Amino acid sequence: MHDDTKLSKLGTDAQENFGIMNPPIYRASTIHFPTIDLFNSRYERRFDEIVYGSYGTPTTKALEAAIADLENASRTIVVGSGTAAITLSIMTFIKPGDHVVVSDGVYKSTRTLCETLLARLNVKTSYFRPDDIENFSAKLRPETKLVLLESPSSFTFEIQDIPALTKVCKKRNILTIIDNTWASPLFFKPLDYGVDISTQAATKYLSGHSDVMMGSISVKIDALHQKIRDNAIQFGNNVSPADCYLALRGIRTMSIRLRQHQETALKLVDWLINQPEVDKVLYPAWPKDPGYNIWKRDFTGASGLFGVILRPTTKENVAKLIEGMTHFRIGASWGGYESLLIPSYPVRDFADPPWQERGPLLRLHAGLENSADLIDDLKDGFARIS
Ligand SMILES: *Cc1c(COP(=O)(O)O)cnc(C)c1O
């Protein structure tokens, strides 16, 4: 069955539910049991049973089963945000004295985690050039416990050779975690390429309507699931069943939304690359992008998020360009229905060559508006600064 067909079935059990298609919002803290034996035995099987609100209600489980299926995982855990998914995955497996190796293009809050909480626990971090496997291998140490990948980087869009990277890690018994938010499980399935833990900011495309905060953690190996799940509860990482309902509803239209995001992004890229104000476009699905070949080999599509490097210009001009937009909005996050345009300032590890582009970097999210309207908006924007 293709993913788009699956999307209309996953997590539903209408016959269990008066014929109603969407699993209802089951809210619960306490679950009652008729006997002590049943209470105890259900707790022993807590990963499979409904035992207490923090282990999830049938609504949570419906969403988790749906995401697991899309990720080709055996299990998925949903948590309160994409940041929580990454933090929890890392915190579950590290101990003082460990070393972690992190893509230098990684999402900003992951870098913050490494530099604050992990540093405080005496866990050292090394960053590697996102698209350079030799540089990556050089960063590994005997005490390297885990590697954090993100492909493409969500601000600078370098694509990683995930199968090559995970092969190196497997040989050395190093755990791999990926932030797979850009592609979503529809366009890239990291667990099939040797990654141990696939995380998503479900805040973005899975929910898709700019109104839910959520993260997901998906694994094939049951022992990993149990450790992360028990830690999720230890850290109080419960997700409201009402939010799970919204995310599950978002998933139904994910394939058609993503197809449209991709189509519009490609149209914008094609137009942007021919503008005199534009130096480069960073989008792995654009055939001249340095990551194009690997993207084409491993991914089945591209999302609506990409970067644009302008030719050197003033801060004032960047503000004039962005603040005058009619359709593109200024805002964090992405993956909703609306187009976004923000300046971004990549942080790079000081030991490696810094970000070397001279012009300002912008990040665009192509929303679901008509692409001609979006191009007109950009055209007017460039006219304001030329
Ligand atoms: C948004 C985002 C996150 C964090 O997700 P939140 O739900 O906002 O915490 C992590 N990684 C990437 C690539 C993101 O874009």
Side-chain angles (χ1 to χ4, degrees), residues 187-214:
F187 288 159
F188 184 55
K189 302 203 190 283
L191 303 181
D192 291 347
Y193 290 82
V195 175
D196 296 307
I197 302 172
S198 174
T199 66
Q200 277 286 327
T203 305
K204 312 287 165 60
Y205 286 127
L206 275 91
S207 302
H209 293 76
S210 310
D211 55 2
V212 172
M213 296 296 301
M214 196 183 291

Side-chain angles (χ1 to χ4, degrees), residues 128 130 133 136 149 160-169 176:
F128 69 99
I133 189 152
F136 167 76
L149 307 168
Q160 302 185 322
D161 191 339
I162 299 294
L165 291 163
T166 56
K167 203 168 150 202
V168 173
C169 293
T176 46

Side-chain angles (χ1 to χ4, degrees), residues 80-84 86 107 109 150 154 179 181-182 201-204 213-215 333-334 363:
S81 69
T83 301
I86 295 162
Y107 183 72
S109 74
E150 187 180 324
S154 65
D179 180 341
T181 303
W182 182 84
T203 305
K204 312 287 165 60
M213 296 296 301
M214 196 183 291
S333 204
W334 48 276
R363 192 178 74 170

Side-chain angles (χ1 to χ4, degrees), residues 235-260:
F235 281 116
N237 235 316
N238 317 310
V239 179
S240 160
D243 283 350
C244 291
Y245 180 93
L246 284 177
L248 197 52
R249 190 164 74 162
I251 279 179
R252 306 292 170 215
T253 56
M254 203 178 157
S255 148
I256 166 175
R257 282 188 284 112
L258 274 165
R259 228 178 290 152
Q260 190 61 47

Side-chain angles (χ1 to χ4, degrees), residues 39 64 74 148 198 205 254 263 287 289 292-293 341 385-386:
F39 181 51
E64 289 182 341
S74 68
L148 209 105
S198 174
Y205 286 127
M254 203 178 157
E263 190 186 309
D289 190 274
Y292 178 78
N293 287 335
L341 175 58
I385 65 169
S386 63

